[in-house]
Amino acid sequence: MSALNDSLVIAHRNLIRMSRIPEMIIFGLIQPIMFVVLFTYVFGGSMTVGGSTDPDVYKNFLMAGIFAQTVTFATAGAGAGIADDMHKGLVDRFRSLPMARGAVLTGRTLADLVQTAVTLFVLAIVALLVGWRPGFENPTNVGKVLAGFGLLLLLGYAFTWIGALIGLSVRTPEAATSGGLIWLFPVTFISNAFVDSSQMASWLQPIAEWNPFSATVQACRMLFGDPGVSQSDAFPMAHPVWASLLYSVVIVAIFRTLAVRKYRSATA
């Protein structure tokens, strides 16, 4: 309980800092909104989903991928924030206080999770405005839609621990931002986020299908009432909800352990 309380105190500190720099939230919203608009109106008419070129079909197919991309791109911000605290010596001050060693990182990732949830909420409103239609027509589907957003937030939280490790491993916030983005592009684009993996080269399909990012996207499509067109027998595509949960939990377990260990050695 003491470690949890310390983590919540640090999370509160980071949320106050974010509220005093509103441009951080505003700029974080602009990019995903641009992706929604560009992919919907620029590329939507030329994309084929299940043999259909109907833009409305692609909108429902696309949004799960955009949502997942948005929560994972928060990784770069998490890494930059931790690198900035390290660079300014703030983490050394925290170390002088009687607090749990992992609280600094846990608090930071929890604060980033709150910011991601706000971004996701605004992005869902924009998606509805451009024509995204999840299964809200049937009241029994509301729980499934909310579960889909829960999986997205869990994936985003898992990836912020990767960002935390990167932020602790570099010397400057600029390097953390670059290091946090350079690996995200292949992870998000070699997936089923924007096109069905069956349309990729044969050697690339297994990579996309076993990508943790793809599992969450496929799970969200299923929960949102649009299972997509994937007919793969790969476990993450056949059982996307369980695969998404498993991937996220494993990522948190591995990278939280590595990040806390790095935090202790880097600031010792």
Side-chain angles (χ1 to χ4, degrees), residues 107-130:
R108 175 73 204 199
T109 55
L110 288 175
D112 288 329
L113 179 63
V114 173
Q115 182 180 1
T116 300
V118 173
T119 303
L120 200 57
F121 176 75
V122 175
L123 190 59
I125 294 175
V126 174
L128 290 170
L129 292 175
V130 300

Short mmCIF file of all heavy atoms in Angstrom, two decimals, residues 107-130:
data_model
loop_
_atom_site.label_atom_id
_atom_site.label_comp_id
_atom_site.label_asym_id
_atom_site.label_seq_id
_atom_site.Cartn_x
_atom_site.Cartn_y
_atom_site.Cartn_z
N GLY A 107 4.19 5.99 -11.27
CA GLY A 107 3.41 7.22 -11.26
C GLY A 107 3.41 7.91 -12.60
O GLY A 107 2.37 8.42 -13.06
N ARG A 108 4.56 7.92 -13.24
CA ARG A 108 4.65 8.55 -14.56
C ARG A 108 3.79 7.80 -15.58
O ARG A 108 3.06 8.41 -16.36
CB ARG A 108 6.11 8.55 -15.03
CG ARG A 108 6.32 9.06 -16.45
CD ARG A 108 6.14 10.55 -16.52
NE ARG A 108 5.77 10.99 -17.86
CZ ARG A 108 5.91 12.24 -18.29
NH1 ARG A 108 6.41 13.15 -17.50
NH2 ARG A 108 5.53 12.57 -19.51
N THR A 109 3.85 6.48 -15.58
CA THR A 109 3.08 5.71 -16.55
C THR A 109 1.57 5.83 -16.28
O THR A 109 0.77 5.83 -17.22
CB THR A 109 3.49 4.23 -16.54
OG1 THR A 109 3.38 3.71 -15.21
CG2 THR A 109 4.93 4.07 -17.03
N LEU A 110 1.17 5.94 -15.01
CA LEU A 110 -0.25 6.12 -14.70
C LEU A 110 -0.75 7.47 -15.18
O LEU A 110 -1.86 7.59 -15.71
CB LEU A 110 -0.48 5.98 -13.19
CG LEU A 110 -0.35 4.57 -12.60
CD1 LEU A 110 -0.48 4.61 -11.08
CD2 LEU A 110 -1.38 3.63 -13.20
N ALA A 111 0.07 8.50 -15.02
CA ALA A 111 -0.30 9.83 -15.52
C ALA A 111 -0.43 9.83 -17.03
O ALA A 111 -1.36 10.42 -17.59
CB ALA A 111 0.73 10.87 -15.07
N ASP A 112 0.50 9.14 -17.70
CA ASP A 112 0.42 9.04 -19.16
C ASP A 112 -0.83 8.27 -19.58
O ASP A 112 -1.43 8.56 -20.63
CB ASP A 112 1.67 8.34 -19.71
CG ASP A 112 2.90 9.23 -19.62
OD1 ASP A 112 2.75 10.45 -19.73
OD2 ASP A 112 4.01 8.69 -19.45
N LEU A 113 -1.24 7.29 -18.77
CA LEU A 113 -2.45 6.53 -19.08
C LEU A 113 -3.69 7.43 -19.02
O LEU A 113 -4.57 7.32 -19.88
CB LEU A 113 -2.59 5.38 -18.08
CG LEU A 113 -3.82 4.48 -18.26
CD1 LEU A 113 -3.78 3.77 -19.61
CD2 LEU A 113 -3.90 3.46 -17.12
N VAL A 114 -3.73 8.34 -18.05
CA VAL A 114 -4.85 9.27 -17.96
C VAL A 114 -4.88 10.18 -19.19
O VAL A 114 -5.94 10.41 -19.78
CB VAL A 114 -4.76 10.10 -16.67
CG1 VAL A 114 -5.82 11.19 -16.66
CG2 VAL A 114 -4.91 9.20 -15.45
N GLN A 115 -3.71 10.69 -19.57
CA GLN A 115 -3.65 11.55 -20.76
C GLN A 115 -4.07 10.79 -22.00
O GLN A 115 -4.79 11.32 -22.87
CB GLN A 115 -2.25 12.11 -20.94
CG GLN A 115 -2.12 13.06 -22.12
CD GLN A 115 -0.72 13.61 -22.28
OE1 GLN A 115 0.18 13.28 -21.51
NE2 GLN A 115 -0.51 14.45 -23.28
N THR A 116 -3.66 9.53 -22.11
CA THR A 116 -4.05 8.71 -23.26
C THR A 116 -5.55 8.49 -23.29
O THR A 116 -6.17 8.50 -24.35
CB THR A 116 -3.32 7.35 -23.20
OG1 THR A 116 -1.91 7.56 -23.23
CG2 THR A 116 -3.71 6.48 -24.37
N ALA A 117 -6.16 8.29 -22.11
CA ALA A 117 -7.61 8.08 -22.05
C ALA A 117 -8.35 9.32 -22.53
O ALA A 117 -9.36 9.22 -23.25
CB ALA A 117 -8.02 7.74 -20.61
N VAL A 118 -7.87 10.51 -22.16
CA VAL A 118 -8.50 11.75 -22.62
C VAL A 118 -8.37 11.87 -24.13
O VAL A 118 -9.34 12.21 -24.83
CB VAL A 118 -7.85 12.97 -21.92
CG1 VAL A 118 -8.36 14.28 -22.53
CG2 VAL A 118 -8.12 12.94 -20.43
N THR A 119 -7.18 11.59 -24.65
CA THR A 119 -6.96 11.64 -26.10
C THR A 119 -7.87 10.67 -26.83
O THR A 119 -8.46 11.00 -27.86
CB THR A 119 -5.49 11.33 -26.42
OG1 THR A 119 -4.63 12.26 -25.74
CG2 THR A 119 -5.23 11.44 -27.92
N LEU A 120 -7.99 9.47 -26.29
CA LEU A 120 -8.82 8.44 -26.92
C LEU A 120 -10.29 8.85 -26.91
O LEU A 120 -11.02 8.60 -27.89
CB LEU A 120 -8.62 7.13 -26.17
CG LEU A 120 -8.99 5.82 -26.90
CD1 LEU A 120 -8.23 5.70 -28.20
CD2 LEU A 120 -8.70 4.63 -26.00
N PHE A 121 -10.74 9.48 -25.85
CA PHE A 121 -12.13 9.94 -25.76
C PHE A 121 -12.43 10.98 -26.84
O PHE A 121 -13.44 10.90 -27.55
CB PHE A 121 -12.39 10.52 -24.37
CG PHE A 121 -13.77 11.11 -24.20
CD1 PHE A 121 -14.88 10.30 -24.05
CD2 PHE A 121 -13.95 12.49 -24.22
CE1 PHE A 121 -16.15 10.84 -23.91
CE2 PHE A 121 -15.22 13.04 -24.07
CZ PHE A 121 -16.32 12.22 -23.92
N VAL A 122 -11.54 11.96 -26.97
CA VAL A 122 -11.74 13.00 -27.99
C VAL A 122 -11.68 12.40 -29.39
O VAL A 122 -12.47 12.74 -30.28
CB VAL A 122 -10.68 14.11 -27.84
CG1 VAL A 122 -10.79 15.13 -28.97
CG2 VAL A 122 -10.82 14.80 -26.49
N LEU A 123 -10.75 11.46 -29.59
CA LEU A 123 -10.60 10.84 -30.90
C LEU A 123 -11.84 10.02 -31.27
O LEU A 123 -12.25 9.99 -32.43
CB LEU A 123 -9.36 9.95 -30.91
CG LEU A 123 -8.92 9.40 -32.27
CD1 LEU A 123 -8.62 10.54 -33.24
CD2 LEU A 123 -7.69 8.52 -32.11
N ALA A 124 -12.45 9.37 -30.28
CA ALA A 124 -13.67 8.60 -30.54
C ALA A 124 -14.80 9.52 -31.00
O ALA A 124 -15.59 9.16 -31.88
CB ALA A 124 -14.08 7.83 -29.29
N ILE A 125 -14.88 10.72 -30.41
CA ILE A 125 -15.90 11.69 -30.83
C ILE A 125 -15.66 12.11 -32.27
O ILE A 125 -16.59 12.18 -33.08
CB ILE A 125 -15.89 12.91 -29.89
CG1 ILE A 125 -16.33 12.50 -28.48
CG2 ILE A 125 -16.81 14.01 -30.44
CD1 ILE A 125 -16.25 13.61 -27.46
N VAL A 126 -14.40 12.38 -32.62
CA VAL A 126 -14.06 12.76 -34.00
C VAL A 126 -14.41 11.62 -34.96
O VAL A 126 -14.95 11.85 -36.05
CB VAL A 126 -12.57 13.13 -34.12
CG1 VAL A 126 -12.18 13.39 -35.57
CG2 VAL A 126 -12.26 14.36 -33.27
N ALA A 127 -14.11 10.39 -34.55
CA ALA A 127 -14.41 9.23 -35.39
C ALA A 127 -15.91 9.11 -35.64
O ALA A 127 -16.36 8.81 -36.76
CB ALA A 127 -13.88 7.96 -34.73
N LEU A 128 -16.72 9.36 -34.61
CA LEU A 128 -18.17 9.32 -34.79
C LEU A 128 -18.63 10.40 -35.76
O LEU A 128 -19.55 10.19 -36.56
CB LEU A 128 -18.86 9.49 -33.44
CG LEU A 128 -18.74 8.31 -32.46
CD1 LEU A 128 -19.27 8.71 -31.09
CD2 LEU A 128 -19.49 7.09 -32.99
N LEU A 129 -18.00 11.56 -35.70
CA LEU A 129 -18.38 12.67 -36.58
C LEU A 129 -18.08 12.38 -38.04
O LEU A 129 -18.80 12.84 -38.94
CB LEU A 129 -17.66 13.96 -36.15
CG LEU A 129 -18.09 14.55 -34.80
CD1 LEU A 129 -17.22 15.75 -34.45
CD2 LEU A 129 -19.56 14.95 -34.83
N VAL A 130 -17.02 11.60 -38.31
CA VAL A 130 -16.66 11.31 -39.70
C VAL A 130 -17.34 10.04 -40.22
O VAL A 130 -17.11 9.64 -41.37
CB VAL A 130 -15.14 11.20 -39.88
CG1 VAL A 130 -14.44 12.49 -39.50
CG2 VAL A 130 -14.56 10.02 -39.10
#
